[in-house]
Amino acid sequence: MSELRQITVSKTGVSKLAILALAIVFAAGLFVVGFDQGHIFSLVYGEQAFTDLYIHELTHDMRHAAGFPCH
């Protein structure tokens, strides 16, 4: 009589690559919402980006809700 055996491998936990990717996304989002004063668009628009503050204006209310003072 033959006997069948089933082996189940359960892997619990989150991969280190996923944690690293989430940390990078979080840090970039934190910078954009909390600290960007034209730095990101200055790569394209130059000094004009520091006076226009496009991202600052788009994330203005979110900054205050998160506790970041901006003016």
Side-chain angles (χ1 to χ4, degrees):
M1 183 178 248
S2 66
E3 187 177 313
L4 296 175
R5 292 185 182 182
Q6 182 177 353
I7 299 174
T8 304
V9 177
S10 176
K11 187 174 184 180
T12 59
V14 180
S15 73
K16 292 179 183 175
L17 182 62
I19 293 173
L20 178 65
L22 284 175
I24 291 171
V25 168
F26 175 77
L30 183 67
F31 174 77
V32 167
V33 172
F35 301 106
D36 182 63
Q37 295 288 335
H39 299 94
I40 293 175
F41 281 148
S42 69
L43 300 172
V44 178
Y45 293 118
E47 292 293 320
Q48 185 64 31
F50 294 108
T51 57
D52 291 341
L53 298 175
Y54 291 121
I55 292 178
H56 174 89
E57 294 301 327
L58 290 173
T59 62
H60 187 89
D61 293 336
M62 193 177 358
R63 288 178 142 209
H64 289 296
F68 288 100
C70 59
H71 50 86

